[in-house]
Amino acid sequence: MKDKEFMKIALQLAKNGWGNTSPNPMVGAVIVKNDEIIGQGWHEEYGKLHAERNALAACTANPQDATMYVTLEPCCHHGKQPPCIDAIIGAGIRRVVIGSTDPNPLVSGKGIRILKEHGIEVTQNVLKSDCDRLNEIFFHFIKTKTPFVTMKYAMTMDGKIATITGESKWITGETARLHVHKQRHRHKAIMVGVGTVLADDPLLTCRIDGGRNPIRVICDSKLRTPLSAQVVTTAKQFPTIIATTCNEQKKWVPYEEQGCQILAVDALNQHVNLQQLMKLLGQMQIDSILLEGGGTLNWSALESGIVQKLHTYIAPKIFGGQLSQSPVGGLGVQIPSTAFLLQNSSITQLGEDFLIESEVRPNVYRNY
């Protein structure tokens, strides 16, 4: 039980790096000697010291013969920082307890092997599922080289994202909206379609103290984004990418002059090829996307298989109306057995609203 309790503390420490470590993982470390915590730390920011070195630096006693609890396998390669295993071995740590194995090919079991070769006892997979879930974005990006996509939408109890007149502000309350801004801080980029830009003229920034603004990605196949739109006029302040199938480069110039980056993408069914877009964004080290699109883009994203997770915010209210918008449009499935299936759902109450988080089952993706 002690291993699990100390790993829980390491997990809580790791979460302090929320939104600041990308494209690196969030990691927490706790050093214990004689059943007392003598050091703890976390990976605070990309490029800075890793959790293990921070924990060792914070030690209040000699870590010789102590046990280190770390949520992710210690690194054994040179990156922005030197290998953590060198610091662990040098400090005389006797035992290392690990939550997740690092899927990075540069590590992936090598760190564990080297520790054992130096006589250090290693215990693996303590609270593994919790540690894996903490870094689902990092794991996906390392394995696929494409962003982890979280589709987010807010709807009423009857599944509407706007009234019959198109009004949508506000469906949910302040607590739920604050949670959304924390997700904007967490994800490297935020993506919408040109329809959302035309309808709402959103700014798409993170409005919490100390929050990091995501890179804004606009899917605009025909390059219809108004030059007066906020995402364009503020592009020099907040990085903005417009993904388009328009190859007339003279049309790009006004956007580029205002600071936008134009990303040429092939067309698929007269829209931006989302799978190709994900590969291009991955090459730009964008490891995660919060998809805040409307019904058309949401359907295309599901159909193309780029979505890993859903965040559904539900408000206890009813809009009604046969023509009122729903969160996912497009053609829709023809029979229930071909539905996009969700799994491992959890429910959180946010004020008077509810958040359902679900994983999208990858084996139901299809391309047609």
Side-chain angles (χ1 to χ4, degrees):
M1 284 297 294
K2 288 183 179 178
D3 282 354
K4 291 184 178 180
E5 292 305 313
F6 287 125
M7 188 62 77
K8 285 180 181 178
I9 296 172
L11 274 165
Q12 287 304 120
L13 290 169
K15 293 175 184 177
N16 290 326
W18 181 272
N20 298 318
T21 64
S22 172
N24 280 357
M26 292 181 281
V27 183
V30 174
I31 301 173
V32 176
K33 191 171 185 178
N34 299 325
D35 293 332
E36 297 289 335
I37 295 176
I38 63 169
Q40 55 187 15
W42 64 93
H43 184 30
E44 298 173 4
E45 187 176 335
Y46 175 69
K48 292 187 176 182
L49 288 178
H50 291 180
E52 298 92 327
R53 289 181 178 270
N54 279 329
L56 287 167
C59 276
T60 57
N62 189 338
Q64 181 80 30
D65 294 326
T67 297
M68 175 180 284
Y69 295 84
V70 60
T71 55
L72 184 69
E73 177 183 2
C75 65
C76 56
H77 66 288
H78 282 270
K80 293 286 185 180
Q81 295 292 334
C84 287
I85 57 166
D86 291 352
I88 294 171
I89 294 167
I93 295 292
R94 177 183 62 81
R95 178 174 176 245
V96 176
V97 181
I98 297 170
S100 299
T101 302
D102 193 335
N104 187 339
L106 295 173
V107 185
S108 193
K110 297 175 187 175
I112 292 171
R113 188 188 71 243
I114 294 171
L115 291 174
K116 289 180 177 179
E117 288 173 350
H118 283 79
I120 296 173
E121 179 185 347
V122 177
T123 301
Q124 296 175 240
N125 301 326
V126 175
L127 298 185
K128 175 178 169 55
S129 60
D130 293 331
C131 292
D132 287 354
R133 192 177 307 114
L134 174 73
N135 282 310
E136 58 187 358
I137 288 174
F138 171 72
F139 285 9
H140 174 85
F141 185 66
I142 282 291
K143 292 174 181 176
T144 68
K145 306 301 182 186
T146 60
F148 183 98
V149 178
T150 302
M151 179 188 293
K152 164 264 168 184
Y153 52 79
M155 69 180 191
T156 60
M157 284 284 191
D158 59 336
K160 306 297 183 181
I161 62 171
T163 66
I164 189 66
T165 62
E167 292 293 322
S168 60
K169 295 183 179 179
W170 295 102
I171 292 176
T172 54
E174 291 185 6
T175 303
R177 297 202 296 274
L178 175 61
H179 189 275
V180 171
H181 283 282
K182 290 180 178 178
Q183 295 304 313
R184 289 183 178 184
H185 171 72
R186 170 72 181 98
H187 290 75
K188 189 76 171 182
I190 183 170
M191 187 166 78
V192 300
V194 65
T196 296
V197 175
L198 292 172
D200 301 332
D201 190 22
L203 191 56
L204 303 177
T205 54
C206 175
R207 293 186 285 279
I208 56 175
D209 291 339
R212 179 187 56 79
N213 290 306
I215 297 169
R216 303 177 298 191
V217 180
I218 314 301
C219 293
D220 183 0
S221 56
K222 301 296 187 290
L223 208 53
R224 295 186 293 139
T225 299
L227 291 171
S228 59
Q230 291 193 93
V231 291
V232 176
T233 60
T234 61
K236 291 181 180 178
Q237 184 179 1
F238 310 117
T240 303
I241 297 169
I242 300 180
T244 183
T245 62
C246 175
N247 292 317
E248 298 179 52
Q249 296 191 17
K250 64 180 181 181
K251 291 186 177 181
W252 300 1
V253 174
Y255 297 97
E256 292 174 328
E257 288 178 343
Q258 295 208 57
C260 295
Q261 179 179 352
I262 301 297
L263 198 59
V265 183
D266 293 338
L268 180 65
N269 298 328
Q270 299 183 330
H271 295 289
V272 167
N273 185 324
L274 293 177
Q275 289 189 349
Q276 182 189 20
L277 176 59
M278 293 304 105
K279 292 178 181 177
L280 293 172
L281 295 177
Q283 292 169 10
M284 298 167 66
Q285 295 300 300
I286 294 177
D287 66 349
S288 55
I289 293 174
L290 185 63
L291 174 59
E292 294 196 21
T296 299
L297 182 57
N298 284 348
W299 168 260
S300 296
L302 284 168
E303 188 181 33
S304 65
I306 67 167
V307 182
Q308 282 71 52
K309 197 167 189 178
L310 257 66
H311 280 187
T312 303
Y313 298 83
I314 302 177
K317 56 185 67 171
I318 302 290
F319 281 174
Q322 288 185 331
L323 299 180
S324 299
Q325 299 176 50
S326 62
V328 181
L331 295 174
V333 301
Q334 296 185 11
I335 54 177
S337 62
T338 61
F340 294 94
L341 301 180
L342 309 178
Q343 62 187 10
N344 299 327
S345 297
S346 63
I347 302 176
T348 305
Q349 186 161 0
L350 300 170
E352 295 185 350
D353 306 311
F354 300 89
L355 167 64
I356 301 179
E357 298 180 66
S358 304
E359 299 172 4
V360 180
R361 283 181 55 175
N363 62 343
V364 299
Y365 289 151
R366 69 225 101 159
N367 298 293
Y368 46 71

